[in-house]
Amino acid sequence: MQANIVVLPGDGIGVEVVTAALAVLEAIGRKFGHEFDTEEYLIGGCAIDAHGTALPDETRQACLSADAVLLGAVGGPKWDDPNAPVRPEQGLLAIRKAMGLYANLRPVKLHPDLIDASPLRPERLAGVDLLVIRELTGGLYFGEGGRWVENGEEWGKNTMIYSAGEIRRIAKLAFDAARGRRKKLASIDKANVLDVMRLWRKTVAEVAEDYPDVELENVLVDAATMHLLSRPASFDVMVAGNMFGDIITDEASMLSGSMGNLPSASLGQHLNRHGKPQGLYEPIHGSAPDIAGRGIANPIGTILSLALLLRHSLGLELEATAIENAVDQALSDGVRTADLASDGKKSVNTQQMTAAILVHI
Ligand code: IPM
Ligand code: MG
């Protein structure tokens, strides 16, 4: 097959991990006889430096007409001034919105050999295999917000807002995903305090009527963060709004040993030239300014995001599985980037980890 993939390395380690994923893409293309045409565009801080905006028009246009988009990370201390008029993160939010990517899928699995890398005790980790589905184009991230001065005091606000329709479509997607797995869905909310979350709980309950085979558990977000540590293996699919989903996936990522391992797929309704959902794929980690430029970042989250891209946006299941197996094998071989290495153990750099994965493709 031929596919057009837009590549957005972004800032910091985004550039390093995307380079790694592109080496894997090339190997897959060669092995399975596909033509993957990739084109790089600017987003985030580097786009602010070059064009004064975090999402230049040409990047937006390229993404909208691509079969799929692969992204590294955005942001960094250079653009962190709280009074700056533009921020790198705005580029990411704007492209998610422009592409209509309302569903962010974040699978969390633990490779058995990485049990030591996780801060949790091994007996707690046995059987961890969950999928967090985060609503991505609504909620607190996209409600009315602003900063102003009144009565000699500075003010700031953001609004958490959802329509029943927005809740319904993400809930349906989550119930469908649960149906294909262990048939359990935990809906994360704060219905004891927030009006918008009472609408969330009510709407999820309505959707649940069409899924009598799926067991629904409503969990308050504060309790959910606790249960993720005390009984992580009890969760199958979790569905949450934008803000809560952002928070619980950073926590959940540590169940896999490191946040650097976790991929994500953002999907919407728009279909690409192959009749598959157009999507944006990115690791859940950020630009990691503390290690950027040193070539030691863990590329696994981005390489696994590439596997999700091949599966969801191109329908290339064999190729996706080949990548996932290669990552598993590299980890079974004992290869570890610094974030995964136990104290005092030898670690490899980004290139070496990528090479260790490539030998299995
Ligand atoms: C994520 C990130 C982003 C988010 C930031 C970089 C805007 O934390 O994808 O989880 O908050 O959505
Ligand atoms: Mg986040």
Side-chain angles (χ1 to χ4, degrees), residues 133-288:
I133 298 183
R134 169 187 176 196
E135 199 289 328
L136 203 61
T137 52
L140 197 51
Y141 277 54
F142 290 94
E144 194 192 330
R147 298 253 303 263
W148 71 98
V149 177
E150 203 177 301
N151 301 330
E153 172 83 305
E154 271 199 287
W155 299 75
K157 77 165 179 188
N158 289 92
T159 319
M160 192 184 280
I161 176 165
Y162 273 118
S163 70
E166 287 174 310
I167 301 168
R168 206 172 297 120
R169 68 179 177 184
I170 195 75
K172 275 192 183 147
L173 198 136
F175 275 107
D176 283 333
R179 215 168 232 179
R181 295 173 45 108
R182 304 196 308 277
K183 299 192 169 47
K184 281 165 61 171
L185 178 64
S187 171
I188 311 306
D189 64 35
K190 189 70 188 176
N192 54 343
V193 176
L194 304 173
D195 291 307
V196 56
M197 289 286 104
R198 285 193 273 278
L199 177 65
W200 178 280
R201 190 172 285 206
K202 169 175 176 260
T203 310
V204 170
E206 285 163 9
V207 175
E209 288 173 19
D210 294 334
Y211 297 85
D213 51 322
V214 176
E215 183 194 325
L216 170 67
E217 180 189 14
N218 293 299
V219 192
L220 295 172
V221 62
D222 46 352
T225 61
M226 175 179 68
H227 297 324
L228 268 173
L229 299 183
S230 60
R231 53 170 178 95
S234 74
F235 291 109
D236 178 15
V237 179
M238 304 176 89
V239 63
N242 209 344
M243 183 80 259
F244 297 163
D246 178 47
I247 296 169
I248 64 169
T249 47
D250 269 25
E251 186 192 18
S253 74
M254 287 312 289
L255 301 169
S256 81
S258 165
M259 172 175 212
N261 289 332
L262 284 207
S264 86
S266 302
L267 305 169
Q269 255 138 9
H270 190 253
L271 299 184
N272 62 23
R273 293 179 307 139
H274 302 283
K276 302 276 176 199
Q278 192 191 45
L280 181 144
Y281 301 83
E282 53 173 322
I284 83 148
H285 65 70
S287 61

Side-chain angles (χ1 to χ4, degrees), residues 31-354:
K31 172 158 180 174
F32 292 87
H34 300 304
E35 190 188 328
F36 297 123
D37 293 311
T38 58
E39 232 180 320
E40 288 193 16
Y41 289 87
L42 298 176
I43 192 167
C46 58
I48 293 177
D49 287 349
H51 301 289
T53 164
L55 182 66
D57 260 352
E58 58 163 16
T59 303
R60 181 195 306 260
Q61 289 312 327
C63 290
L64 289 175
S65 53
D67 290 324
V69 180
L70 181 69
L71 183 138
V74 297
K78 182 173 175 194
W79 308 280
D80 253 353
D81 175 359
N83 290 315
V86 284
R87 289 195 57 105
E89 291 80 1
Q90 289 165 347
L92 185 52
L93 300 195
I95 195 61
R96 288 171 176 169
K97 192 76 171 177
M99 294 175 72
L101 307 171
Y102 66 87
N104 182 220
L105 278 48
R106 299 186 161 185
V108 183
K109 260 195 208 155
L110 173 69
H111 187 287
D113 294 347
L114 287 184
I115 281 199
D116 282 348
S118 172
L120 287 201
R121 286 206 298 275
E123 62 269 27
R124 291 266 154 88
L125 291 167
V128 165
D129 177 7
L130 55 100
L131 171 65
V132 184
I133 298 183
R134 169 187 176 196
E135 199 289 328
L136 203 61
T137 52
L140 197 51
Y141 277 54
F142 290 94
E144 194 192 330
R147 298 253 303 263
W148 71 98
V149 177
E150 203 177 301
N151 301 330
E153 172 83 305
E154 271 199 287
W155 299 75
K157 77 165 179 188
N158 289 92
T159 319
M160 192 184 280
I161 176 165
Y162 273 118
S163 70
E166 287 174 310
I167 301 168
R168 206 172 297 120
R169 68 179 177 184
I170 195 75
K172 275 192 183 147
L173 198 136
F175 275 107
D176 283 333
R179 215 168 232 179
R181 295 173 45 108
R182 304 196 308 277
K183 299 192 169 47
K184 281 165 61 171
L185 178 64
S187 171
I188 311 306
D189 64 35
K190 189 70 188 176
N192 54 343
V193 176
L194 304 173
D195 291 307
V196 56
M197 289 286 104
R198 285 193 273 278
L199 177 65
W200 178 280
R201 190 172 285 206
K202 169 175 176 260
T203 310
V204 170
E206 285 163 9
V207 175
E209 288 173 19
D210 294 334
Y211 297 85
D213 51 322
V214 176
E215 183 194 325
L216 170 67
E217 180 189 14
N218 293 299
V219 192
L220 295 172
V221 62
D222 46 352
T225 61
M226 175 179 68
H227 297 324
L228 268 173
L229 299 183
S230 60
R231 53 170 178 95
S234 74
F235 291 109
D236 178 15
V237 179
M238 304 176 89
V239 63
N242 209 344
M243 183 80 259
F244 297 163
D246 178 47
I247 296 169
I248 64 169
T249 47
D250 269 25
E251 186 192 18
S253 74
M254 287 312 289
L255 301 169
S256 81
S258 165
M259 172 175 212
N261 289 332
L262 284 207
S264 86
S266 302
L267 305 169
Q269 255 138 9
H270 190 253
L271 299 184
N272 62 23
R273 293 179 307 139
H274 302 283
K276 302 276 176 199
Q278 192 191 45
L280 181 144
Y281 301 83
E282 53 173 322
I284 83 148
H285 65 70
S287 61
D290 52 328
I291 59 162
R294 291 169 54 196
I296 59 167
N298 179 355
I300 289 179
T302 314
I303 291 172
L304 291 177
S305 298
L306 174 65
L308 296 179
L309 182 159
L310 298 179
R311 174 175 295 128
H312 293 291
S313 284
L314 301 178
L316 300 176
E317 179 59 37
L318 269 183
E319 292 79 345
T321 311
I323 295 178
E324 288 161 351
N325 288 341
V327 167
D328 277 349
Q329 285 168 27
L331 291 172
S332 299
D333 292 343
V335 186
R336 302 279 182 273
T337 41
D339 55 319
L340 298 173
S342 332
D343 292 340
K345 288 266 174 62
K346 197 174 158 288
S347 62
V348 302
N349 63 26
T350 311
Q351 254 179 7
Q352 291 163 323
M353 176 56 98
T354 310

